[in-house]
Amino acid sequence: MTHVTAVVLAGVSLLALAPTAAMAQAPSGSTTTAAATDEALPEIVITGTSRARVALDTPLAVTQVNETSLIRLGGSGQANILNTIPTIKADGGGGEVAANVFVRGLPSGGQYQFTPLMYDGVTVLSSFGLNSSAYDVYFRNDLGISRLEFVRGGVSNLFGPGSVAGLINFISKSGGDQLEGTVQLEVAEKDRYRGDVALSGPLGGNLFFAVSGFYRTDKGPLRTNLDTKGGQIRGNLEYRFGDGSGHIKLLGQYINDQAQFYLPIPLDGATRSRLPGNDGKLVNSVQNDFAASLGFKTPNGTFSSDIADGVSTKGGMIGLTFEKDFGDSGWGVNGGVKYSDYKHKFGLWSDGDGVINVPETLQSFLTNRNLGALSNAAFSFVGGGAAPANTLLFANRFTDRVRPVHDFTGELNLTKSLATGSIDHSLTLGGFYGNASAGDYNVTTTYLAEFNNTPRLVNLVVTNPTSGATTIVSNNGLLNAGAGYVNNRHEAERYAAYIADQMKIGDRFNLDIGFRWERLNGQIRRERTATVITDSTTANLSTALRDVIWGNGAFTTGNVSTSEWAGAIGALYKLSDGVSLYANASRGYFFPELRSVSFNALFQPSTYKAEIIKQAEAGIKVQQPRFSLTVAGLYTKLDNRRQVLFVNDGAGGFLERVNLVGTESYGIEGTLDLKLMRHLRFNGNLTIQRSRYTAFDTTPSNIGKDIERQPDVLYNAGLYYDDGAIDISAFTNYTGDNFTASSNAILLKGWNIATVDAGYTVPVGAGRMRISVNVFNVFNTAAVTEGSPRQDNNQAANGAFFVGRPVLPRRFMGRLSYNF
């Protein structure tokens, strides 16, 4: 028996499920991805607002990923999980974290720009766009997750942090009446080792606990001499009122983790396949541990890079949620508060030096920079040895980005159930508050290295043939010290009020209606820069003076604010107990990212207005004993979007270019879960969409063109066998053709990524042990998932080289787990 406690927070009904085998079952009328069981599908309660409802009765789209599927999908990172959800495209070629998430054809540079990421209904960060780090750098998934819900459309997305495009919510396990747990050891190629544990149970006196955590080390999936290592612990402590009227739950998380992030690399220009390096081996990455060699002097002292730490986060979150039902009066209250504080760094490797951006011969490197003939140049490897004449070089950059962040959120909802004639009302009146601030301190370094895996740095000294004077161009591999500098701090304060009514009219008809009003106040502080001359070398080869872009100590500050409203309506009609028709429409908004705000010559901030999104959806939900399916039509229109792109400035640095755009998209999505025989199921989904620009201020010729990185076709399909002892899952994810940039000049062909997971489970003592093998990217596809975001529309399609990010290579993984 699955025990269900409905916990409403942030516009999503959180299901505190006892951690039993029943967790793998699907809720009635929802979309469940991947490993479904062969048992009858129960009517597990889910909701979008103030009361729990069967999904079949909810006039919005809900996708769920169960616990079993999360484990089998998540070995290579968050993107693999999100890619199984209809209308979502998630690029995971960069590794475990910082997934680029695209949803419903909306224009995005990646991250989670339109979809708040939540754990247990609590948003990870209340405002996006304080810097460009993705939400998933602050949290990791573990065995303490019971399932994922993605809710989109209708009044559900008006509540809590709000988002018309959808809410991604991972729901944790809660303690039950018995002590239960899982321990797991995971081993994979390239020295990956991970240990997980999850425990939950009673503490006595109506008090229950759940705790989970992991630690892992990983030298892959690409060898770079840069390690992924660290872990996380999190949990909850819940007191349940003896009369069953509610609970109070304390939440906590601590993370100390670093994960490597892989950027696009030079590929063959004709085939877009990996190229051999100087040693004849195919180049998978051009990253290496260069931090010790590339320090330099600045006006504030010596700068030392932490690029070897990759994407690192240290800190945590503490929160409190509560729910109380006041019995026959129909009144109830729920809500929560959260405070988080993270010391976060994002070491970003670039895809070129911002000028040439592709591998060069020794002579072409000199020619491209007006440095003369090869006969007057001396190339040598740092550590010793002259560079052979046929050496290929690749000048590249990395950026140390220090991004501390803290966030406070609070939410309070007052609920009332009442009846007026034949209509049962479930009313919610609530409010949300968020205050988030983040730093964004960036230093960019340009270096010269060979074109190889784990490349060596290269020195270059040029001699003037007339005067005999020497110029040190690359010192210990350092080409350009302080190629870019940013020191920003952004703070966003949000407060919102909302009201909704979920109505049940007779036995067949449900009607939802809701309204939200919100205000955002933003504070901006940015240090101005200057080019200074300093002895920026590491002192062991030269004392040459160099130009360094650095902060000058003066700051531009400004405040912006705006208010906006959203409204939504949704209706559902039950044709029968197993078939429902539904439709919803909404008018909503996104607040522009504070990093998109520019200043004029008088240091006044630009105008700040909300981006308006209009969305509609209509479809059918079918739930039968042997199958369930959904089919829906979608429409989305977005106006006044401030699109922020992190691109090359043409001189070796970066800039955040802001385009004011409008977009329109429409499409259909369908899902199917089919019981083929007793232990075998098929599960799949399909999204067909078209998305176009309707406005583009900087480049009007882009109007009517496809939105970049948005495919017209997405699908997932898989077969899942589980007889209790043997389980086999074989599934594939397809991403269709899409363009690299808004000019639509470069088309990337679609690709499939196939995964196989197989296990054998046996009783051991009081529990069960499963030994399994997982193979990601079974056919080792090397398809290109993106071009060079830094080059954007300036990227060439017909050269000898093409800079792009291939799918991560095939990886074998073994797991041993014990459940008790």
Side-chain angles (χ1 to χ4, degrees):
M1 181 73 177
T2 301
H3 304 285
V4 179
T5 302
V7 182
V8 183
L9 189 65
V12 177
S13 174
L14 312 185
L15 302 181
L17 303 177
T20 67
M23 285 182 187
Q25 297 172 339
S28 170
S30 71
T31 302
T32 300
T33 69
T37 70
D38 65 308
E39 303 175 19
L41 301 175
E43 291 191 348
I44 296 177
V45 180
I46 64 170
T47 189
T49 51
S50 63
R51 69 176 182 183
R53 292 189 295 190
V54 174
L56 192 67
D57 297 342
T58 306
L60 52 87
V62 178
T63 299
Q64 299 179 332
V65 184
N66 58 48
E67 179 188 3
T68 301
S69 300
L70 289 172
I71 293 172
R72 298 178 188 179
L73 288 165
S76 297
Q78 190 84 278
N80 289 354
I81 296 170
L82 299 179
N83 264 328
T84 67
I85 297 174
T87 74
I88 283 185
K89 171 182 177 275
D91 291 341
E96 286 189 30
V97 299
N100 286 322
V101 179
F102 305 88
V103 58
R104 292 200 168 189
L106 293 170
S108 170
Q111 300 92 39
Y112 292 72
Q113 293 185 6
F114 295 99
T115 48
L117 178 63
M118 300 190 298
Y119 283 80
D120 299 312
V122 178
T123 181
V124 170
L125 189 62
S126 62
S127 291
F128 185 81
L130 307 180
N131 53 46
S132 61
S133 287
Y135 291 136
D136 62 5
V137 303
Y138 308 111
F139 260 83
R140 307 285 188 269
N141 291 350
D142 56 31
L143 295 181
I145 303 292
S146 68
R147 69 183 191 180
L148 160 67
E149 291 184 353
F150 180 54
V151 183
R152 53 213 184 268
V155 299
S156 64
N157 300 328
L158 302 180
F159 288 73
S163 172
V164 177
L167 300 166
I168 300 170
N169 186 31
F170 287 93
I171 301 171
S172 299
K173 299 175 182 178
S174 293
D177 294 333
Q178 296 181 337
L179 179 66
E180 298 183 350
T182 303
V183 291
Q184 179 174 278
L185 175 65
E186 179 180 285
V187 180
E189 295 177 283
K190 297 183 175 63
D191 301 319
R192 176 181 172 89
Y193 304 95
R194 172 168 169 150
D196 278 82
V197 63
L199 293 172
S200 62
L203 292 174
N206 296 329
L207 194 62
F208 301 84
F209 82 97
V211 62
S212 58
F214 75 89
Y215 185 85
R216 60 91 176 77
T217 64
D218 193 350
K219 296 185 181 299
L222 303 176
R223 292 281 193 186
T224 61
N225 283 335
L226 302 167
D227 293 346
T228 290
K229 60 183 179 181
Q232 174 187 262
I233 185 169
R234 61 187 196 88
N236 60 75
L237 186 65
E238 182 177 12
Y239 177 79
R240 298 171 188 164
F241 300 130
D243 59 1
S245 63
H247 75 278
I248 299 174
K249 181 181 288 189
L250 181 68
L251 309 172
Q253 175 237 11
Y254 176 78
I255 184 172
N256 187 355
D257 190 50
Q258 66 179 51
Q260 296 304 322
F261 187 71
Y262 308 107
L263 267 292
I265 59 174
L267 305 170
D268 184 277
T271 65
R272 296 182 185 170
S273 57
R274 292 184 174 93
L275 288 165
N278 292 303
D279 59 4
K281 297 179 181 179
L282 294 181
V283 175
N284 294 304
S285 169
V286 294
Q287 297 167 208
N288 202 351
D289 188 357
F290 295 143
S293 300
L294 295 176
F296 55 89
K297 294 181 180 179
T298 77
N300 298 332
T302 300
F303 174 78
S304 298
S305 172
D306 292 323
I307 191 65
D309 293 343
V311 182
S312 64
T313 302
K314 183 177 181 179
M317 176 276 289
I318 187 167
L320 181 74
T321 66
F322 61 91
E323 180 186 28
K324 175 65 176 177
D325 180 4
F326 296 105
D328 294 339
S329 69
W331 289 99
V333 63
N334 65 74
V337 293
K338 178 215 73 173
Y339 178 78
S340 59
D341 191 352
Y342 299 102
K343 293 178 174 61
H344 165 57
K345 299 178 182 179
F346 198 122
L348 180 72
W349 295 83
S350 298
D351 38 13
D353 64 351
V355 180
I356 305 302
N357 301 311
V358 296
E360 302 167 88
T361 65
L362 302 186
Q363 182 59 68
S364 64
F365 180 89
L366 297 169
T367 302
N368 289 334
R369 292 157 183 81
N370 298 315
L371 294 175
L374 182 58
S375 58
N376 298 315
F379 290 91
S380 62
F381 294 114
V382 174
N390 63 349
T391 299
L392 273 181
L393 304 173
F394 185 54
N396 200 6
R397 297 162 294 173
F398 57 73
T399 303
D400 287 86
R401 306 195 291 187
V402 181
R403 293 175 164 180
V405 60
H406 73 261
D407 187 29
F408 174 82
T409 62
E411 180 179 357
L412 182 64
N413 298 309
L414 183 65
T415 62
K416 172 68 173 177
S417 297
L418 58 90
T420 56
S422 62
I423 304 175
D424 292 330
H425 299 267
S426 183
L427 296 167
T428 302
L429 176 64
F432 174 82
Y433 177 83
N435 189 309
S437 66
D440 194 9
Y441 177 80
N442 301 347
V443 176
T444 299
T445 304
T446 307
Y447 65 91
L448 182 63
E450 61 179 337
F451 181 58
N452 253 16
N453 294 302
T454 58
R456 293 171 291 179
L457 293 170
V458 174
N459 296 312
L460 171 59
V461 178
V462 175
T463 302
N464 187 306
T466 303
S467 66
T470 61
T471 300
I472 298 178
V473 178
S474 174
N475 178 21
N476 266 5
L478 183 65
L479 269 180
N480 190 353
Y485 178 93
V486 171
N487 184 12
N488 296 339
R489 183 181 180 276
H490 298 134
E491 180 176 350
E493 181 185 45
R494 300 171 54 193
Y495 44 95
Y498 42 81
I499 186 170
D501 188 6
Q502 295 175 268
M503 293 168 274
K504 181 175 176 59
I505 305 173
D507 295 329
R508 297 290 182 185
F509 189 65
N510 291 334
L511 179 65
D512 293 354
I513 188 167
F515 177 84
R516 176 187 180 103
W517 175 89
E518 182 171 3
R519 183 169 181 82
L520 182 142
N521 298 320
Q523 297 181 13
I524 302 164
R525 186 174 187 265
R526 298 175 185 167
E527 187 175 9
R528 302 169 201 166
T529 60
T531 301
V532 297
I533 298 177
T534 181
D535 177 359
S536 61
T537 68
T538 51
N540 61 337
L541 281 183
S542 170
T543 57
L545 298 180
R546 302 203 178 192
D547 292 346
V548 175
I549 299 175
W550 208 255
N552 66 5
F555 288 83
T556 299
T557 62
N559 297 323
V560 295
S561 62
T562 190
S563 302
E564 198 48 79
W565 65 272
I569 186 170
L572 179 140
Y573 182 76
K574 297 186 68 172
L575 296 176
S576 67
D577 289 341
V579 181
S580 297
L581 301 176
Y582 76 98
N584 61 69
S586 60
R587 187 265 194 196
Y589 57 87
F590 296 103
F591 290 127
E593 301 175 45
L594 288 181
R595 67 189 180 115
S596 73
V597 176
S598 60
F599 287 83
N600 61 22
L602 300 177
F603 304 112
Q604 298 168 329
S606 58
T607 58
Y608 190 77
K609 297 193 303 181
E611 305 159 5
I612 305 303
I613 182 170
K614 298 175 182 177
Q615 184 171 265
E617 177 180 356
I620 184 171
K621 302 180 182 184
V622 179
Q623 181 72 36
Q624 298 298 320
R626 294 188 64 88
F627 74 94
S628 62
L629 66 84
T630 66
V631 179
L634 316 169
Y635 175 78
T636 303
K637 189 176 190 301
L638 178 63
D639 294 316
N640 199 41
R641 171 66 177 169
R642 292 192 184 188
Q643 181 190 59
V644 185
L645 301 178
F646 187 60
V647 297
N648 294 330
D649 64 4
F654 299 107
L655 59 85
E656 289 187 330
R657 187 176 66 222
V658 179
N659 302 316
L660 189 64
V661 303
T663 65
E664 187 175 46
S665 63
Y666 54 90
I668 60 171
E669 70 173 54
T671 68
L672 174 64
D673 185 86
L674 175 64
K675 183 177 179 180
L676 299 173
M677 55 183 66
R678 182 180 177 187
H679 301 302
L680 181 65
R681 307 190 76 89
F682 168 85
N683 184 280
N685 59 66
L686 170 68
T687 302
I688 301 174
Q689 62 184 7
R690 298 299 301 271
S691 52
R692 299 286 186 272
Y693 282 108
T694 58
F696 207 113
D697 68 333
T698 59
T699 315
S701 60
N702 286 341
I703 295 174
K705 293 184 177 179
D706 286 7
I707 298 174
E708 65 271 25
R709 304 174 75 174
Q710 295 282 2
D712 288 349
V713 179
L714 297 163
Y715 73 72
N716 292 275
L719 292 172
Y720 305 91
Y721 177 87
D722 191 344
D723 63 11
I726 297 173
D727 63 85
I728 303 174
S729 304
F731 47 93
T732 186
N733 166 260
Y734 176 76
T735 302
D737 297 355
N738 60 98
F739 292 101
T740 63
S742 56
S743 64
N744 291 184
I746 301 175
L747 179 70
L748 299 179
K749 293 295 185 181
W751 66 90
N752 266 297
I753 300 178
T755 301
V756 171
D757 189 280
Y760 181 65
T761 304
V762 294
V764 176
R768 294 172 65 82
M769 179 175 291
R770 179 178 184 262
I771 184 169
S772 63
V773 62
N774 179 284
V775 185
F776 167 77
N777 194 2
V778 173
F779 302 108
N780 205 27
T781 178
V784 180
T785 65
E786 67 174 349
S788 171
R790 255 43 76 198
Q791 296 183 53
D792 193 41
N793 286 320
N794 292 322
Q795 185 169 13
N798 53 2
F801 300 98
F802 179 83
V803 176
R805 181 156 59 186
V807 174
L808 291 174
R810 178 171 53 217
R811 199 176 202 190
F812 291 86
M813 182 180 298
R815 295 190 179 107
L816 180 65
S817 59
Y818 180 68
N819 294 275
F820 59 90

